[in-house]
């Protein structure tokens, strides 16, 4: 029995609607990228976000299209977010701290069509735009006065239509736009993980998951926000949605304070102080800088009540300083991009709160307990659950409606275990109070200032040094940046080398802030049982190691001072003993911390130096210099940082998704499409213009002549009109033919040849043909039927035949629902493998486990494709045959080949077959995946066929699945 309550879709537009309606005058204050502090309200943000929506719709952005942002936390960024998500498009936050090549790779993988960008990051976009074929517009978050006089991409960007001024865009569009109306499972946001193992992977948040995450964060034991709060999210919107604050703050009506590009201690303090901030969230490094500033200036924090600290383990001295010196409660939190990101929080239970503060500290240092809505488990490598005894450590796994079920475009394959839990890659313990503690990271990334450094990437590049036999990178404690990387090198037999040689070798190949703080030459790099470098053992051996220029790794209160006043020489691990001996190199004479800090003064800056741009990149945790200067010169057309080897191969879309294996397949028998597209081209057997005039038999010569002249004039007009009628009658067929030929030969894009010429113009031309055909008949009756009957009949025949062909085509395909995705199993949906996705190409429509129809698709707007399939494609049912799975697989393969499809994956062991098919007329491509599994009755065969183009396929894939299953059935 169903409950009888209302069912409103949980979509994020309702969050800003609520804020605008009930807290419309509540302020959102921003330190603008241009410099001044600017103020707006939730009411104005919603109004302007609607204008952004209209502007995007005018650009042709459709539901499901990805729209990127490369920007700091500002009110404008929020307007773009809500404007994008409100119309069902996907807001893809790009992380400006990555290499330009990485940004380009990610934007290509996402298929961003528009990118909103801050002034500070425009040079990055200028430098990579020619590698972004999907990007059509770049919108600059600024006003007309700050627009660059001359903006040129660094290379030819054929699809780029121009740079748009955000303020102009907002001004030029009206605020009347219908939001929502789609399924709550619709994608809302996209954020890529750091990709420290392999390529970055996209986490695709849904409206539902974002709304549920918002409700979760509002619980008192999570963020516990109120409309009375003043919230400063320092954590960037491009880092896991600013931990959801850009939703939770408007969700509760709290005032927001956005830090823009400046996140150094003094700037953050200024905002905390002048705006009366009560709640804030950031990584430990930011708080370290703030505490340092407070100590130096003697300033206080009388209004601030609570800070959430996460992203990396929070050191004790930060928790103590906030508590003891400033009476601010610290909530230590753990989460990840894949968890939206809130996972656990170390909020004291009632029992623990009664303990003296010192006894609470071990729990406060842990990552904490999950809120309602999040489930956790600890398992050993065999997947068996481990006890919550605070000692047993194992793989931390997580489940819930705010946790990723798979990555965008199926990257990495299946990511959930049999119980639906996601493996976080973290190793943890859980104690008897339910407090989780991260003990290690499965991936050995180095966390520097809240950002990850890939140890493997540095190792691999360093290994390219001719003297290196083996290399390993580990993170070592650092008082300011949490961890810094050091490089261990085992040299080739008989070689000697210096630290500088290796650092120089790395120079330009990795970002500055990735540069190891030290190079240690060792006799041996230990390998584990599986032949991989045993980092655990290395860390154990290096446990007494201290970075050059630092005193013994500080813990507790001394850390900030240590950062400010580093002490000289590091301890040595072992005495130098000849060229091959294990030794630690002497520390640098200068204090590394007195230099520009190593954190994200990223690669981008190096790249921009090449581009001779005056724009500055000012990443989060850096002490901020002056406000970004407006961009005055466009970067020259030189490649970015030409000598830089990207950390992971930079690949264009084609390279990454090679179309190679897809040799054009022979035509797939597809009756309907052929019937639809094969509007007949008729040829007249007699050339109409060569028809003889019938001479008059009556009257005298003169009379006859006069009559003949009059007839000639009249006949010429009638004849010309009928010729035109015939041409109009032929037009639909000509349009369809030209469209097909144009697309096939690559002369026209699909949108012109297929969608416009064939689907749009041809039916209109056919209707015109009917009108002119009838008109032709009437004209022939009056103009001398005996003379013109042949022409009139020809025009009419062509018209009737064209119309009949169109009606037939419509009968076969026109009634099909507006979908291109047909599956026999939506419960355990068949997903394409990485290989098939690669073959499918970056431009293709995404393959989702449970897609919904876009709002604009009239008949089935907003409904789940699974439900539409069930109603409209009777053929899409799993097939159970009384054969062995191997036989059934073979039969399916034969059927696929006989239908002329090209096989991409042929895996009889796994029962997985993937193929691609191409339509004869237009070369429209569809991908097919077949799964054969054992069944009690023999074998079960499932299929999913998906068109690469958006919109309807006129039933092509439904018929394909039906036809193939019929053949397998025999
Ligand atoms: P990201 O997806 O970039 O936010 O990184 C998520 C990872 O950061 C987690 O899997 C943890 O390894 C690490 N992490 C996040 N919060 C904490 C924390 N409070 N303590 C230790 N590690 C953390």
């Amino acid at each position: 029995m169903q409950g009888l309550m209302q069912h409103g879709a949980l979509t994020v537009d309702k969050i800003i609607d609520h804020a605008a309606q009930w807290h419309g005058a509540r302020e959102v204050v921003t330190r603008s990228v241009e410099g001044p502090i600017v103020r707006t309200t939730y009411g104005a943000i919603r109004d302007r976000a609607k204008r952004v929506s209209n502007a995007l719709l005018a650009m042709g952005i459709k539901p499901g299209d990805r729209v990127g942002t490369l920007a700091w936390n500002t009110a404008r960024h929020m307007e773009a977010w809500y404007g994008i998500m409100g119309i069902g498009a996907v807001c893809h936050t790009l992380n400006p701290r990555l290499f330009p090549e990485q940004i380009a790779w990610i934007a290509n993988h996402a298929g961003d069509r528009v990118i909103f960008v801050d002034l500070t990051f425009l040079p990055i976009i200028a430098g990579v735009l020619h590698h972004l074929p999907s990007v059509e517009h770049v919108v600059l978050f600024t006003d007309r006065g700050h627009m660059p006089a001359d903006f040129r991409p660094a290379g030819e960007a054929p699809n780029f239509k121009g740079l748009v001024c955000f303020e102009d865009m907002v001004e030029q569009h009206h605020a009347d736009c219908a939001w929502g109306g789609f399924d709550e499972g619709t994608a809302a946001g996209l954020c890529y993980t750091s990709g420290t193992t392999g390529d970055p992977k996209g986490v695709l948040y849904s409206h539902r998951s974002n709304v549920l995450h918002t409700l979760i964060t509002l619980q008192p034991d999570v963020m516990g926000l109120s409309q009375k709060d003043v919230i400063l999210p320092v954590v960037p919107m491009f880092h896991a949605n600013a931990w959801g604050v850009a939703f939770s703050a408007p969700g509760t009506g709290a005032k927001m304070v956005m830090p823009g590009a400046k996140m150094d201690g003094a700037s953050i303090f200024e905002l905390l102080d002048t705006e009366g901030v009560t709640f804030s969230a950031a990584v430990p490094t930011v708080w370290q800088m703030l505490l340092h500033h407070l100590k130096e200036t003697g300033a206080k924090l009388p209004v601030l009540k609570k800070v959430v600290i996460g992203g990396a383990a929070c050191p004790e001295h930060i928790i103590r300083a906030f508590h003891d010196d400033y009476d601010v409660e610290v909530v230590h939190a753990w989460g990840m991009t894949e968890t939206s990101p809130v996972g656990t929080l170390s909020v004291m239970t009632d029992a623990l709160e009664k303990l003296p503060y010192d006894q609470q500290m071990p729990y406060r240092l842990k990552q904490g307990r999950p809120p309602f809505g999040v489930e956790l488990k600890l398992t050993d490598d065999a997947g068996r659950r481990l006890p919550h005894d605070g000692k047993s450590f194992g793989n931390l796994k997580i489940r819930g409606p705010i946790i990723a079920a798979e990555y965008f475009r199926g990257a990495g394959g299946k990511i959930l275990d049999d119980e639906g839990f996601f493996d976080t890659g973290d190793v943890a313990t859980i104690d008897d109070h339910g407090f989780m503690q991260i003990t290690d990271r499965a991936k050995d990334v180095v966390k520097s200032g809240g950002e990850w450094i890939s140890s493997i990437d540095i190792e691999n590049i360093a290994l390219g040094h001719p003297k290196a036999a083996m290399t390993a990178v580990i993170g070592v404690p650092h008082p300011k940046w949490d961890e810094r990387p050091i490089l261990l090198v085992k040299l080739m037999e008989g070689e000697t080398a210096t630290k500088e040689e290796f650092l120089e070798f790395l120079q330009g190949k990795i970002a500055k802030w990735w540069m190891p703080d030290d190079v240690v030459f060792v006799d041996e790099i230990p390998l584990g049982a599986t032949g991989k470098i045993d980092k655990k053992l290395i860390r154990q051996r290096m446990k007494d190691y201290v970075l050059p220029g630092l005193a013994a790794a500080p813990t507790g209160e001394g850390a900030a001072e240590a950062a400010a006043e580093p002490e000289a020489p590091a301890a040595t691990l072992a005495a130098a003993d000849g060229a091959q001996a294990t030794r630690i190199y002497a520390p640098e004479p200068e204090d590394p911390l007195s230099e520009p800090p190593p954190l994200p003064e990223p690669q981008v800056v190096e790249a921009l130096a090449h581009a001779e741009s005056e724009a500055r990149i000012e990443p989060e945790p850096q002490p901020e210099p002056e406000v970004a200067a407006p961009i005055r010169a466009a970067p020259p057309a030189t490649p970015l940082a030409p000598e830089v080897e990207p950390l992971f191969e930079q690949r264009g879309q084609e390279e990454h998704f090679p179309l190679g294996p897809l040799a054009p397949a022979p035509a797939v028998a597809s009756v309907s499409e052929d019937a639809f597209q094969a509007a007949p081209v008729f040829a007249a057997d007699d050339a109409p213009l060569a028809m003889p005039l019938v001479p008059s038999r009556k009257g005298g010569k003169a009379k006859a002549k006069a009559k003949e002249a009059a007839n000639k004039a009249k006949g010429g007009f009638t004849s010309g009109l009928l010729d035109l009628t015939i041409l109009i009658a032929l037009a639909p067929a000509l349009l369809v033919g030209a469209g097909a030929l144009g697309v096939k030969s690559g002369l026209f894009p699909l949108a012109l040849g297929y969608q416009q010429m064939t689907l749009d113009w041809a039916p209109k031309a056919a209707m015109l043909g009917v009108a002119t055909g009838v008109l032709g008949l009437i004209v022939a009756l009056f103009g001398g039927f005996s003379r013109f009957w042949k022409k009139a009949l020809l025009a009419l025949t062509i018209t009737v035949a064209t119309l009949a062909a169109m009606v037939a085509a419509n009968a076969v395909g026109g009634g099909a629902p507006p979908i291109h995705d047909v599956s026999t199993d939506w419960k355990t949906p068949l997903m394409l493998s990485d290989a098939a996705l690669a073959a499918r190409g970056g431009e293709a429509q995404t393959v989702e486990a449970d897609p919904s129809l876009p709002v604009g698709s009239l008949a089935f707007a907003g409904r789940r494709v699974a439900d539409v399939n069930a109603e409209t494609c009777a053929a899409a049912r799993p097939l159970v045959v009384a054969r062995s799975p191997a036989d059934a697989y073979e039969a399916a393969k034969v059927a696929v080949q006989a239908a002329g499809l090209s096989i991409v994956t042929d895996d009889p062991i796994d029962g997985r077959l993937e193929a691609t098919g191409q339509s004869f007329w237009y070369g429209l491509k569809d991908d097919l995946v077949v799964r054969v599994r054992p069944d009690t009755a023999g074998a079960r065969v499932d299929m999913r066929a998906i068109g690469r183009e958006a919109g309807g396929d006129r039933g092509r894939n439904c018929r394909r699945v039906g036809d193939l299953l019929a053949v397998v059935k025999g």
Side-chain angles (χ1 to χ4, degrees), residues 194 239 310-313 332-337 367 426 438 441 447 452:
S194 330
H239 196 168
H332 183 200
W334 166 90
M336 52 199 312
T337 309
Q367 280 72 13
D426 284 325
I438 304 281
R441 264 159 272 148
K447 278 244 159 162
W452 286 18

Side-chain angles (χ1 to χ4, degrees), residues 13-25 42-44 46 250:
D13 48 291
K14 289 173 180 153
I15 296 178
I16 197 74
D17 275 349
H18 170 82
Q21 192 176 0
W22 300 104
H23 308 276
Y42 283 128
R46 185 190 51 171

Side-chain angles (χ1 to χ4, degrees), residues 109 199-202 406-415 834 837:
H109 190 262
D199 293 331
K201 298 182 186 72
E406 67 179 273
Y407 290 110
F408 186 50
R409 296 191 194 279
K414 185 172 175 260
I415 59 170
D834 280 354
L837 282 174

